[in-house]
Amino acid sequence: MGMDKNTMIGFALIGALLIGMLYINNRGKSEFEAQKKHIADSIAALKPKVDTTLAKIDALKADSQKIVKQTGGLLQDTTAPKMISVENDVMKVTFSTRGAQPAMVELKKFKKYDSSIVKLQSGDFNKFTYRINRGNNLTAETENINFIAQPVVTNADKSQTISFKTGDSTGEKEVVHQYTLKPNDYMMDLNIITKGADLFTQNSMNILWQTEAPQIEKDHKYELTQSQVGYVQEDGFDFEHAAKDDTKTFDKSFNWIAAKQQFFIAALSSKSKFESGSIAWKVAGDSAKFLFRSTSNVKLPVATNGNTALQFYYGPSDYNILKKYDNKMENLVPYGSGVFSFVKYINRYFLLPVFDFLQRNILI
């Protein structure tokens, strides 16, 4: 059956219409996709850009943890070093997590000639550090390790303890610095608690202790003449004048070593005695803000898993205060020496008690 002319024209028009609609729809879809992409790009441009450096830092941290685990290195606080203060009635000690050591010691009851608080420990020269073995023939000085600080603990006797820790990723090695301040006391305990084999070469801890004697009185020259380095060995107390540069070597064991100026003392003591060591001191010029600087290198044995008991004294050169420690440190108070050494007994056992009695019982 054949189609008439009108029918054929109708089909042609319908075909053309369909082709036109398909073309228009396809073009519209392309424009819609392009518009959609443009909108998406615009939205993306408004969003904050992702900082890829953070991802890089995370990757570096992950790599560093792998390195630490592989080398037996020490885990430490990766943030900036922190300063943490602990104080009692007489002094305030500010510790740095870098090295887990005292960074500043302020004596609250004493003032310098310019009316500022006496500070026996401040400045970069002052330090307490020793070397430990990290493993794989690597070593580290504790002054370069950023320890992780623990919360301050108040003990039953009202003393305060703060601890700083570092260790390896396996838990096999650990070093803890545990400081304790007792109420109304200038002597501060330091227990170094170590865990793990081969932390120390030949089981010996070699400590470097540097301390600067600050100028307290206005007369720099006279205060320097009253300065000395004191110590106690097996044969008793002895001292060296610190008015000129010098060195003292200890071939035998000794209990403590001290840098003394006219009225104040900084001392390091071991409850189990130091095996050997040395101290060198260098005098400052008249224009300096300190009298002399001392550098001590001391050696003592340490167990694989042990507790090394040390003490720091930062306080006045006061006979009554020093006498109670029962370690001969009161001998640092100069009551007479040389040919006049007999005078010190009169001063200590007669005049001093009389003055103490008058001070306690008579109002001026």
Side-chain angles (χ1 to χ4, degrees):
M1 181 176 63
M3 290 185 293
D4 59 17
K5 183 177 179 180
N6 290 334
T7 302
M8 292 178 65
I9 293 172
F11 278 119
L13 290 173
I14 291 172
L17 181 62
L18 288 174
I19 292 171
M21 289 180 63
L22 288 173
Y23 172 78
I24 293 171
N25 286 341
N26 187 58
R27 182 177 178 182
K29 182 179 180 182
S30 299
E31 291 178 354
F32 174 75
E33 292 295 335
Q35 186 68 19
K36 182 179 176 182
K37 184 177 184 301
H38 176 71
I39 294 172
D41 291 342
S42 300
I43 294 174
L46 294 174
K47 289 182 179 179
K49 295 183 179 180
V50 177
D51 189 352
T52 57
T53 59
L54 294 177
K56 292 178 181 178
I57 290 173
D58 290 338
L60 288 173
K61 284 184 178 179
D63 290 341
S64 67
Q65 292 298 327
K66 291 177 184 177
I67 293 171
V68 165
K69 189 170 183 179
Q70 290 169 0
T71 62
L74 297 174
L75 296 176
Q76 57 176 317
D77 191 343
T78 57
T79 62
K82 304 178 185 67
M83 295 292 179
I84 303 171
S85 297
V86 182
E87 58 186 297
N88 58 18
D89 299 328
V90 297
M91 69 177 182
K92 177 181 178 181
V93 183
T94 301
F95 299 93
S96 173
T97 56
R98 178 74 70 183
Q101 58 182 315
M104 181 179 294
V105 177
E106 302 168 81
L107 304 186
K108 298 160 72 170
K109 295 188 175 183
F110 298 95
K111 292 186 178 181
K112 296 173 58 175
Y113 70 92
D114 60 2
S115 298
S116 62
I117 294 292
V118 169
K119 297 176 182 177
L120 290 189
Q121 183 91 354
S122 63
D124 294 336
F125 179 80
N126 300 277
K127 69 171 63 175
F128 174 86
T129 182
Y130 54 91
R131 184 170 296 180
I132 55 179
N133 297 322
R134 295 174 52 192
N136 290 352
N137 297 319
L138 298 175
T139 62
E141 286 287 339
T142 56
E143 67 172 316
N144 298 322
I145 299 172
N146 198 22
F147 286 65
I148 299 173
Q150 310 300 306
V152 178
V153 175
T154 301
N155 305 303
D157 62 355
K158 305 302 181 182
S159 64
Q160 299 175 81
T161 298
I162 183 169
S163 298
F164 302 88
K165 295 184 178 181
T166 188
D168 68 359
S169 57
T170 64
E172 294 178 357
K173 292 182 180 180
E174 186 176 69
V175 177
V176 179
H177 286 190
Q178 185 184 79
Y179 294 91
T180 299
L181 273 72
K182 303 180 189 69
N184 201 40
D185 199 345
Y186 294 99
M187 188 74 81
M188 177 173 65
D189 291 334
L190 166 58
N191 290 330
I192 301 178
I193 304 166
T194 55
K195 174 187 174 185
D198 302 322
L199 269 175
F200 301 95
T201 302
Q202 297 180 344
N203 293 324
S204 291
M205 181 183 292
N206 294 284
I207 295 172
L208 170 65
W209 179 52
Q210 293 184 176
T211 185
E212 181 179 274
Q215 180 183 354
I216 305 297
E217 301 302 312
K218 191 170 184 178
D219 192 334
H220 186 283
K221 287 185 177 180
Y222 180 75
E223 190 176 11
L224 182 59
T225 64
Q226 303 302 302
S227 300
Q228 60 184 237
V229 171
Y231 47 88
V232 164
Q233 292 183 286
E234 295 174 357
D235 50 358
F237 168 80
D238 205 348
F239 71 96
E240 305 287 338
H241 290 291
K244 62 179 182 178
D245 299 356
D246 209 342
T247 301
K248 172 66 180 179
T249 300
F250 305 99
D251 297 323
K252 298 182 293 184
S253 63
F254 61 102
N255 299 67
W256 52 262
I257 193 166
K260 177 194 171 295
Q261 51 204 93
Q262 188 173 3
F263 297 117
F264 299 96
I265 298 167
L268 174 64
S269 174
S270 171
K271 292 184 179 181
S272 60
K273 293 187 178 182
F274 299 109
E275 281 186 343
S276 59
S278 65
I279 180 170
W281 56 97
K282 188 174 182 60
V283 176
D286 295 344
S287 60
K289 297 298 183 181
F290 65 94
L291 304 172
F292 67 96
R293 287 172 168 172
S294 64
T295 300
S296 301
N297 289 278
V298 297
K299 179 180 178 181
L300 71 166
V302 58
T304 298
N305 296 304
N307 182 0
T308 302
L310 304 174
Q311 290 180 305
F312 287 102
Y313 179 83
Y314 294 108
S317 176
D318 186 302
Y319 182 86
N320 289 326
I321 291 174
L322 298 171
K323 179 67 176 177
K324 69 180 182 180
Y325 298 125
D326 194 28
N327 62 359
K328 296 184 173 64
M329 199 174 284
E330 71 274 9
N331 287 282
L332 287 166
V333 182
Y335 282 113
S337 60
V339 295
F340 299 103
S341 60
F342 69 92
V343 176
K344 68 183 178 184
Y345 298 106
I346 299 174
N347 289 332
R348 289 177 182 175
Y349 300 116
F350 178 70
L351 293 180
L352 183 61
V354 169
F355 279 114
D356 286 341
F357 174 81
L358 294 175
Q359 186 178 25
R360 288 193 304 268
N361 296 283
I362 297 178
L363 296 177
I364 299 177

